Amino acid sequence: EVSEMAERSKQNVAHGLAWSYYVGYLKIVLPRLKESMEELSRAHPAVLPHHDTWKLHILIPLSCDIQDDLEKADSNIQHLVDLPETTVTRAGIKKRVYKHSLYAIRDGDKARPCVLEFASPLQTLRAMSQDECAAFSREQREAQAQLFYRALRDILAGSQECAGTFRLIAYEEPAEADSHFLSSLVLWHLRQQQHEEYAVPEEHPLSTGSTGFSLQLSTSDLPQPLRSD
């Protein structure tokens, strides 16, 4: 009876999505991320000068508004290269492929590398709020997005296998349209990450060569996001 009440009120959605995302994806790819980054660094030594970028940065918009193309979402985010693929035989699928994309986050004529992607389960929450069969209101969607973030944060906090391989970036979009909000947000987190984890020497800007720009953190005030791990 309690389970049926929880199902009707959609209380189990976020928790289930967070566990599915962790067990079915993050727990597979994150322990292999360092190896992929090392392989990429050997192939492109100028691309990854600092180990503070060797994490998967996961964007969690609490509006559940996910854009498939980050370059179209923000012109200051430009695709550099894909990381080496992780291949796993899973659930009857031979050589299932998982991969990540490395982006350059531009600030003026400078840039900084970052492995970046959205938390894909948020697309499920948005789709449910748009499907009459799910009877999922906008308010429920927003509440579940926050629960998803907290559940995922807690799950990953207890995972020794994934420790030090990720950063969650949960945020609310600004009331006024800002075409470069996303890039500024990511840069803010990268700078915070340096302050938290490293004694950082003078920044050595990344020359991205084929992308046509290089990167460096801005000294301007950046948006203050929600606390993340």
Side-chain angles (χ1 to χ4, degrees):
E1 187 174 331
V2 171
S3 178
E4 288 179 359
M5 291 175 61
E7 288 294 335
R8 286 196 297 270
S9 62
K10 311 297 189 300
Q11 292 176 11
N12 293 336
V13 175
H15 194 256
L17 285 175
W19 272 103
S20 178
Y21 186 50
Y22 169 69
V23 174
Y25 178 61
L26 295 180
K27 193 176 181 180
I28 298 170
V29 300
L30 288 181
R32 296 171 172 81
L33 184 64
K34 182 180 178 180
E35 182 180 343
S36 295
M37 298 296 279
E38 288 174 345
E39 186 177 338
L40 179 65
S41 183
R42 288 193 295 270
H44 306 278
V47 171
L48 298 169
H50 300 299
H51 282 207
D52 60 300
T53 61
W54 290 27
K55 292 183 180 181
L56 177 61
H57 297 77
I58 303 172
L59 297 170
I60 304 179
L62 299 179
S63 66
C64 299
D65 186 12
I66 291 178
Q67 299 190 46
D68 292 326
D69 193 331
L70 278 167
E71 292 178 298
K72 291 182 179 178
D74 189 323
S75 61
N76 281 346
I77 300 176
Q78 188 168 353
H79 180 260
L80 283 176
V81 66
D82 290 332
L83 271 63
E85 297 175 348
T86 294
T87 304
V88 179
T89 296
R90 183 173 175 82
I93 303 173
K94 294 288 187 180
K95 297 181 179 180
R96 185 168 185 175
V97 175
Y98 301 86
K99 71 176 183 179
H100 310 288
S101 295
L102 180 71
Y103 290 91
I105 316 299
R106 180 169 58 184
D107 179 24
D109 60 349
K110 307 296 181 181
R112 179 156 186 185
C114 180
V115 185
L116 186 66
E117 62 189 54
F118 283 102
S120 57
L122 295 180
Q123 290 179 314
T124 300
L125 289 176
R126 175 164 284 273
M128 288 179 67
S129 68
Q130 296 171 341
D131 192 316
E132 293 181 1
C133 295
F136 203 66
S137 68
R138 177 181 177 180
E139 290 73 21
Q140 286 175 312
R141 182 190 73 200
E142 293 175 350
Q144 290 298 309
Q146 295 185 36
L147 288 172
F148 169 82
Y149 165 65
R150 292 200 295 268
L152 183 61
R153 178 195 62 194
D154 293 345
I155 292 168
L156 286 169
S159 174
Q160 295 182 352
E161 299 159 289
C162 299
T165 62
F166 67 93
R167 188 172 181 95
L168 303 182
I169 304 179
Y171 62 93
E172 294 180 347
E173 295 175 350
E176 296 183 3
D178 182 351
S179 59
H180 298 306
F181 168 76
L182 205 55
S183 58
S184 296
L185 175 68
V186 174
L187 284 171
W188 186 90
H189 272 271
L190 291 173
R191 182 167 61 182
Q192 285 297 107
Q193 196 165 270
Q194 280 192 323
H195 290 325
E196 292 167 6
E197 300 179 12
Y198 301 94
V200 186
E202 183 70 18
E203 179 74 12
H204 296 286
L206 162 67
S207 176
T208 59
S210 62
T211 66
F213 58 82
S214 58
L215 272 200
Q216 186 179 17
L217 289 178
S218 171
T219 56
S220 61
D221 291 333
L222 296 175
Q224 302 296 311
L226 298 177
R227 182 181 181 276
S228 66
D229 295 333

